[in-house]
Amino acid sequence: MLIVKDCKRRQQRYWELHNWLKEWDTELAALRTWPTVLKVVCRIERALLVELLEWKSLVQNVKLPRK
């Protein structure tokens, strides 16, 4: 089990990502051209990549108990 020291900040970050994804979903539904779709997709990919890198950093820096 991964121990996250700053639970409130993580929860806030997830709500932020959740709201962004809902907003971007609405944008994608309204878009009609590939260049604009790709801009929104790039924003989504960047946000998710930042989250993934942060989790990877947390996992690498946390000393997990041995089994």
Side-chain angles (χ1 to χ4, degrees):
M1 184 161 116
L2 179 67
I3 299 170
V4 180
K5 295 178 183 176
D6 53 354
C7 186
K8 278 284 192 208
R9 189 181 70 81
R10 301 298 318 153
Q11 287 177 334
Q12 187 176 16
R13 177 72 176 148
Y14 292 141
W15 278 111
E16 189 177 271
L17 278 171
H18 174 74
N19 290 336
W20 283 348
L21 287 170
K22 284 185 355 187
E23 179 184 317
W24 292 331
D25 190 44
T26 304
E27 278 185 52
L28 285 171
L31 295 175
R32 301 285 182 241
T33 63
W34 277 111
T36 53
V37 167
L38 292 175
K39 285 180 187 177
V40 173
V41 169
C42 282
R43 278 188 271 160
I44 294 168
E45 285 179 338
R46 253 183 272 136
L48 295 175
L49 181 60
V50 166
E51 195 61 29
L52 177 69
L53 292 173
E54 188 169 337
W55 271 105
K56 183 178 179 185
S57 173
L58 283 172
V59 169
Q60 286 178 342
N61 293 323
V62 171
K63 303 244 188 236
L64 297 176
R66 289 185 174 200
K67 291 182 181 184

